[in-house]
Amino acid sequence: MTTQATVLVTGASTGIGATYAERFAQRGHDLVLVARDRQRLEALAARLRHEHRVAIDVLPADLTLQADLDAVEARLRDDTRIGILINNAGMAQSGNFMQQSAQDIVRLITLNISAVTRLAAAIAPRLADAGRGAIVNIGSVVGLAPEFRMSIYGATKAFVLFLSQGLSRELEPKGVYVQAVLPASTRTEIWERAGIDINTLTEVMEPGELVDAALVGFDRREPVTIPPLHAAEHWDALESARKALLADLRQAHAAERYRA
Ligand SMILES: NC(=O)C1=CN([C@@H]2O[C@H](COP(=O)(O)OP(=O)(O)OC[C@H]3O[C@@H](n4cnc5c(N)ncnc54)[C@H](OP(=O)(O)O)[C@@H]3O)[C@@H](O)[C@H]2O)C=CC1
Ligand SMILES: N[C@@H](C=O)C(=O)O
């Protein structure tokens, strides 16, 4: 039994989530693993229990289904051992906006926005009351890039970034750390699941390197961690420009350029 916080990881059956599970097990944390594929979760749990002697619960759930999401929310709300949420489960899209069916749109938004938000909302009050804990939301650089023409997926990831920055301002004073992690192309199944050939990508990061970098940001309590961004000053400049824009708003009258 560890004295460290238990970590609940969504999307833990493969890819970035499975890597987070391994890294936190290596750090001695007990785990709760959430995804739809029970068999893959059980196999990962068995290996990590054996290798790292930590307690691991498997909680199969389809986060697009109300009853399953309710169950994971309840676990986050009621299990006081859980002090870290890795809000990772997500899916991507292929094709342009007009090629997305209504079902595609609902599934993308339900998993990438509704589930992420509801799980954060489930754990946040308890962490704030305790004055400690962390919520890690996995966004994407695509959320900064309308040029990529993954308009709905990118919009869901822009939402995750904004949500994380807002929660960081609301919860950091209460002792709760909120981190947005923005990967770029990373070698996981998300591409095949979205019907995209990963071999068409020019550069791809391995999930181990991605998560190790994200955990450096986590350990530094960095609010926004962008492992593939080598020139950090670009993010700093973007944030400065955003704040300058806000400071320059004069809401009483329209700008001169808009006056007839
Ligand atoms: N790979 C990349 O290039 C990038 C990924 N990201 C983000 O990283 C996160 C992880 O993605 P990644 O590891 O690459 O993708 P994978 O497709 O490899 O893994 C996705 C994980 O989410 C789970 N999942 C998918 N749908 C559901 C669902 N309906 N309910 C519950 N769990 C579900 C899958 O498990 P199961 O099928 O068992 O349910 C799996 O464990 C996502 O949020 C993604 O947007 C961001 C930028 C780049
Ligand atoms: N998941 C990837 C796109 O499909 C990404 O976010 O880069």
Side-chain angles (χ1 to χ4, degrees):
M1 187 65 180
T2 71
T3 55
Q4 303 193 87
T6 295
V7 182
L8 187 143
V9 184
T10 70
S13 63
T14 183
I16 292 170
T19 306
Y20 262 110
E22 179 141 30
R23 294 301 192 268
F24 275 108
Q26 288 169 352
R27 291 184 172 204
H29 292 266
D30 293 343
L31 304 174
V32 179
L33 305 182
V34 176
R36 292 168 301 179
D37 190 327
R38 175 190 288 275
Q39 190 174 1
R40 291 181 96 176
L41 289 176
E42 292 289 7
L44 176 63
R47 176 169 69 82
L48 296 182
R49 288 187 196 105
H50 173 72
E51 291 175 356
H52 304 293
R53 298 284 179 260
V54 291
I56 302 179
D57 282 355
V58 164
L59 180 54
D62 181 337
L63 296 174
T64 64
L65 300 179
Q66 185 65 53
D68 287 14
L69 183 55
D70 289 348
V72 183
E73 283 179 314
R75 185 65 181 266
L76 287 166
R77 200 172 36 245
D78 304 336
D79 186 342
T80 56
R81 296 169 303 170
I82 300 173
I84 299 171
L85 166 62
I86 306 297
N87 227 344
N88 165 77
M91 61 185 294
Q93 82 173 71
S94 58
N96 63 37
F97 180 73
M98 291 182 286
Q99 291 172 311
Q100 306 305 315
S101 69
Q103 186 190 25
D104 295 332
I105 294 168
V106 168
R107 202 166 47 229
L108 257 169
I109 292 173
T110 302
L111 183 63
N112 291 12
I113 290 182
S114 300
V116 166
T117 308
R118 285 183 52 179
L119 296 183
I123 196 174
R126 183 168 59 75
L127 297 186
D129 287 345
R132 64 180 180 274
I135 299 170
V136 177
N137 297 319
I138 308 299
S140 168
V141 299
V142 174
L144 301 171
E147 294 79 9
F148 289 7
R149 299 179 188 274
M150 300 175 76
S151 298
I152 303 177
Y153 174 75
T156 71
K157 291 307 182 178
F159 176 96
V160 171
L161 175 59
F162 189 99
L163 177 72
S164 303
Q165 292 181 298
L167 290 185
S168 182
R169 283 157 176 79
E170 292 192 46
L171 298 178
E172 194 270 335
K174 301 177 186 298
V176 180
Y177 168 52
V178 180
Q179 181 189 27
V181 176
L182 276 57
S185 300
T186 309
R187 193 176 306 282
T188 72
E189 295 175 9
I190 200 167
W191 300 95
E192 181 185 358
R193 290 169 185 239
I196 301 171
D197 181 357
I198 196 170
N199 298 310
T200 62
L201 305 177
T202 51
E203 291 185 314
V204 182
M205 192 179 293
E206 294 303 322
E209 184 167 355
L210 182 282
V211 173
D212 289 340
L215 285 171
V216 169
F218 178 88
D219 293 339
R220 291 175 183 163
R221 295 296 182 263
E222 188 178 51
V224 178
T225 298
I226 314 176
L229 176 63
H230 291 250
E233 59 270 23
H234 291 320
W235 172 255
D236 298 339
L238 186 63
E239 278 291 274
S240 299
R242 181 179 65 79
K243 290 170 183 173
L245 178 152
L246 292 173
D248 196 36
L249 296 176
R250 302 286 175 272
Q251 303 179 66
H253 299 292
E256 192 63 35
R257 67 182 181 284
Y258 297 124
R259 292 190 192 163

